[in-house]
Amino acid sequence: MNGYERRKQKKMEQIFSAAIELFFKYGFQKVNVNEIAHKAKVSPATIYNYFGTKEQLYSDSLINWMDKQLEQYESILDSDLSFPEKAKEIMQLEAANLKILGDEFPKVPSSELSGLMQIMDSYSEQKIVHFFKKFVALGKQEGYIRMDLTEEMMMSYFTMFQNELRRYWESSNQERTTLSMDQLMELFFYGVAGRVQPLD
């Protein structure tokens, strides 16, 4: 990467950081390019040169934000934590991120919502599913996920727990959320029958 590319990359990171902060705080319609440029310490012309439209900046900023969250998940999965600890940390992060996105979607104008949902679906197909397959493979390898369970079944199971975690996360009582996580993780790995049941 030459000097020009490095400068451009740095400016884009500044723009992404400023844009996602303002979009998440105020919503798509209430933020203009001039405000983003001011916060990012670049000119509005730079933003238009890089992204063309505010709509494109919004979608690119959202993808950049999701990439950063996925990097955190990957880092946890590659860490020295036990598999149950990895799953707990990933699910806590996912619950918090789902709440952020859940708060953001109502601020998106209806004309843009279908496009946003397409972005999310495409991102899931291209990147989230790949990560989840890696997660399931590691769980099976370490004996925490039954070998006979398909990836599709595990995805459905994981989604159920995500939804429940998000419901807890939305409550204002964070202590309750932390306490519930331990019980939910116990249920996630061992079901209602408990640890006496063999894993395979």
Side-chain angles (χ1 to χ4, degrees):
M1 187 182 289
N2 62 35
Y4 169 76
E5 289 171 336
R6 275 197 298 272
R7 287 192 299 275
K8 181 178 178 180
Q9 188 62 40
K10 184 181 177 184
K11 281 184 182 178
M12 288 187 75
E13 285 299 326
Q14 289 170 214
I15 294 166
F16 283 142
S17 178
I20 209 70
E21 182 182 335
L22 292 172
F23 283 139
F24 278 177
K25 188 172 182 180
Y26 300 109
F28 176 82
Q29 287 180 308
K30 292 184 179 177
V31 176
N32 63 50
V33 170
N34 286 351
E35 290 168 329
I36 295 168
H38 178 74
K39 189 167 186 64
K41 296 181 174 62
V42 299
S43 71
T46 299
I47 292 179
Y48 286 116
N49 286 339
Y50 290 170
F51 302 99
T53 64
K54 188 174 96 167
E55 289 76 13
Q56 189 62 49
L57 170 61
Y58 180 80
S59 62
D60 287 354
S61 297
L62 187 60
I63 289 169
N64 179 265
W65 179 81
M66 290 190 293
D67 279 343
K68 284 178 168 33
Q69 310 317 306
L70 191 57
E71 283 172 16
Q72 288 187 63
Y73 298 176
E74 292 277 7
S75 178
I76 293 167
L77 200 61
D78 294 337
S79 72
D80 293 330
L81 295 171
S82 69
F83 186 75
E85 289 172 324
K86 291 176 183 180
K88 181 177 178 179
E89 287 207 14
I90 289 167
M91 289 174 81
Q92 282 180 318
L93 266 177
E94 179 70 354
N97 288 334
L98 285 171
K99 183 183 185 313
I100 290 169
L101 292 173
D103 289 344
E104 171 61 11
F105 279 5
K107 300 175 190 170
V108 177
S110 55
S111 60
E112 300 293 329
L113 196 55
S114 62
L116 182 58
M117 295 308 295
Q118 285 180 339
I119 291 168
M120 300 297 290
D121 289 343
S122 174
Y123 190 89
S124 179
E125 287 173 17
Q126 292 175 19
K127 297 184 180 181
I128 300 295
V129 169
H130 174 75
F131 171 78
F132 189 77
K133 286 179 178 179
K134 185 177 171 183
F135 174 87
V136 171
L138 184 62
K140 286 182 176 183
Q141 180 185 323
E142 295 190 13
Y144 287 98
I145 295 176
R146 281 171 33 192
M147 295 297 289
D148 62 319
L149 292 175
T150 64
E151 288 168 350
E152 291 76 15
M153 180 59 70
M154 282 305 304
M155 182 69 90
S156 298
Y157 189 62
F158 196 73
T159 301
M160 285 192 297
F161 276 83
Q162 281 179 314
N163 292 337
E164 187 62 14
L165 281 170
R166 179 169 50 181
R167 191 171 69 82
Y168 275 113
W169 205 266
E170 285 170 352
S171 71
S172 58
N173 189 337
Q174 288 296 311
E175 183 181 350
R176 176 186 170 203
T177 305
T178 304
L179 291 172
S180 299
M181 268 303 296
D182 292 331
Q183 290 182 318
L184 284 168
M185 292 311 297
E186 188 80 11
L187 278 172
F188 182 82
F189 284 111
Y190 304 107
V192 293
R195 296 180 188 235
V196 294
Q197 291 291 93
L199 283 169
D200 50 21

